[in-house]
């Protein structure tokens, strides 16, 4: 079999990546999606980010979504699917995409399958970021966001000084906590993941697309594991443990 480095180089040269990052709240989907954007130049499509933007602009969609989000529940499928269809038909998506936080249940996965069929953009892999509940809880309670630029920090792992001055926008950081990262909401989000999103693991396993990555490691190690899993998918190799 072709060595992993060769597969990866071939994959990077092809320049197309169509993947889903699947994982519980706090498993590192957003962090890893950003790293993948930096390396592969394909857009990150995060339904959570799209919804938060609608909330901050107080659009009608945002006003409807806010109550569900603050309570740790899913926003209704019709709203999310409408947003996804609009985003997935924009020109930059032709070179690939990293779906982060979508799909979230079987109905959304089926709708995505139909949409990608229409657009003739088949999925290459679904990467599950696997992480223990205890670690998820700590990552979520420790997450802070720079109010100026949106950079994500964690109070448990940020280097000394990083929490005082944001290294992205350079401003004195005004760190805020996401409303749904409060302890009382995190429990509900994890419950929703177990009940509604976890069945997607079996769904994509049966479709032959699932790759499982151990997300209980530092950001760089997890990133390398994702690269390995994805390059294996493109080469048709089995990257499953
Ligand atoms: P969304 O924004 O998608 O939230 P989520 O899935 O709950 O995921 P998070 O953003 O909380 O975590 P993440 O996995 O991205 O982790 P991160 O990289 O930030 O959704 C929010 C809400 O919107 C939902 O509850 C729902 O209401 C609604 N919604 C969204 N999509 C929807 C859909 N499709 N249908 C219906 N409703 C929808 O990392 C977390 C923390 O850990 C950070 O502090 C980070 O710095 C740190 N960290 C990351 N990686 C590591 C590492 N390797 N080691 C140590 N620390 C790390």
């Amino acid at each position: 079999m072709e060595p992993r480095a060769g597969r990866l180089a071939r994959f990077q040269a092809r320049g197309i990546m169509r993947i889903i990052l699947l994982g519980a709240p706090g498993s590192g989907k957003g962090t890893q999606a950003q790293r993948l954007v930096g390396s592969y130049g394909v857009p990150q499509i995060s339904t959570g980010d799209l919804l938060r933007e609608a909330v901050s602009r107080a659009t009608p969609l945002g006003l409807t979504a806010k109550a569900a989000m603050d309570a740790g529940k899913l926003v209704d499928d019709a709203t999310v699917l409408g947003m996804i269809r609009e985003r997935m038909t924009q020109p930059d998506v032709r070179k690939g995409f990293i779906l982060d936080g979508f799909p979230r249940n079987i109905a959304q996965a089926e709708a995505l399958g139909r949409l990608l069929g229409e657009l003739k953009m088949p999925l290459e892999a679904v990467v599950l970021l696997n992480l223990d509940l205890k670690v998820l809880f700590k990552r979520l309670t420790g997450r802070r966001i720079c109010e100026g630029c949106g950079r994500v920090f964690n109070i448990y792992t940020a280097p000394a000084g990083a929490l005082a001055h944001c290294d992205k926008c350079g401003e004195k950081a005004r760190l805020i906590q996401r409303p749904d990262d409060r302890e009382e909401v995190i429990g509900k989000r994890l419950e929703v993941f177990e009940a509604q999103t976890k069945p997607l693991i079996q769904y994509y396993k049966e479709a032959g697309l699932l790759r499982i990555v151990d997300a209980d490691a530092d950001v760089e190690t997890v990133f390398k594991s994702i690269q390995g899993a994805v390059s294996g998918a493109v080469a048709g190799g089995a990257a499953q443990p």
Side-chain angles (χ1 to χ4, degrees), residues 34 44 146 148-153 162 165-173:
Q34 296 263 309
Q44 168 193 13
C146 171
C149 68
R151 176 156 166 51
V152 176
F153 294 89
H165 283 274
C166 175
D167 57 1
K168 187 171 171 194
C169 64
E171 294 297 318
K172 187 167 166 37

Side-chain angles (χ1 to χ4, degrees), residues 28 32 51 89 96-97 105 116-117 142 151 188 219:
Q32 295 299 332
L51 287 165
T89 48
F97 52 78
N105 57 29
L116 294 179
R151 176 156 166 51
K188 180 67 192 170
V219 172

Side-chain angles (χ1 to χ4, degrees), residues 179-236:
D180 57 348
D181 278 348
R182 285 172 292 128
E183 278 191 38
E184 59 274 27
V185 186
I186 291 174
K188 180 67 192 170
R189 289 166 65 202
L190 294 174
E191 222 175 82
V192 168
F193 174 78
E194 287 288 321
Q196 301 196 45
T197 310
K198 226 173 175 178
L200 292 178
I201 298 173
Q202 186 60 23
Y203 180 86
Y204 284 118
K205 190 175 179 187
E206 283 169 15
L209 290 168
L210 189 71
R211 301 291 180 276
I212 303 173
V213 159
D214 177 12
D216 193 4
D218 61 85
V219 172
E220 200 49 40
T221 303
V222 177
F223 178 65
K224 289 209 169 87
S225 302
I226 295 174
Q227 283 190 308
V230 167
S231 66
V234 169

Side-chain angles (χ1 to χ4, degrees), residues 29-193:
K29 303 180 298 294
T31 303
Q32 295 299 332
Q34 296 263 309
R35 288 285 279 108
L36 290 161
V37 168
S39 290
Y40 296 93
V42 294
Q44 168 193 13
I45 300 178
S46 156
T47 39
D49 287 349
L50 292 171
L51 287 165
R52 276 184 291 277
E53 197 190 321
V55 170
S56 74
R57 287 192 286 119
T59 65
L61 186 155
L63 293 174
T64 317
K66 188 176 180 337
M69 292 173 79
D70 286 355
K73 298 179 184 162
L74 293 186
V75 173
D76 68 281
D77 287 347
T79 300
V80 173
L81 291 170
M83 248 172 36
I84 277 287
R85 174 171 278 278
E86 193 187 325
R87 183 66 188 90
M88 295 293 284
T89 48
Q90 287 171 17
D92 63 332
V93 179
R94 294 308 309 177
K95 62 183 175 187
F97 52 78
I98 299 152
L99 281 170
D100 157 12
F102 177 88
R104 244 13 201 230
N105 57 29
I106 297 284
Q108 291 184 8
E110 288 173 345
L112 175 67
R114 289 190 292 275
L115 177 62
L116 294 179
E118 256 174 59
L119 298 172
K120 297 191 175 30
M121 299 193 302
L123 268 181
E124 281 161 347
V126 176
V127 181
L128 173 68
L129 300 181
N130 208 23
L131 198 58
D132 189 74
L133 270 184
K134 251 194 210 152
V135 186
L136 290 170
F137 199 82
K138 188 170 178 190
R139 284 200 190 167
L140 290 169
T141 51
R143 176 166 52 192
R144 298 290 184 275
I145 320 274
C146 171
E147 206 177 17
C149 68
R151 176 156 166 51
V152 176
F153 294 89
N154 199 289
I155 55 172
Y156 300 114
T157 51
L163 297 175
H165 283 274
C166 175
D167 57 1
K168 187 171 171 194
C169 64
E171 294 297 318
K172 187 167 166 37
R174 296 182 307 278
L175 297 181
I176 53 166
Q177 193 174 29
R178 259 171 54 174
D180 57 348
D181 278 348
R182 285 172 292 128
E183 278 191 38
E184 59 274 27
V185 186
I186 291 174
K188 180 67 192 170
R189 289 166 65 202
L190 294 174
E191 222 175 82
V192 168
F193 174 78

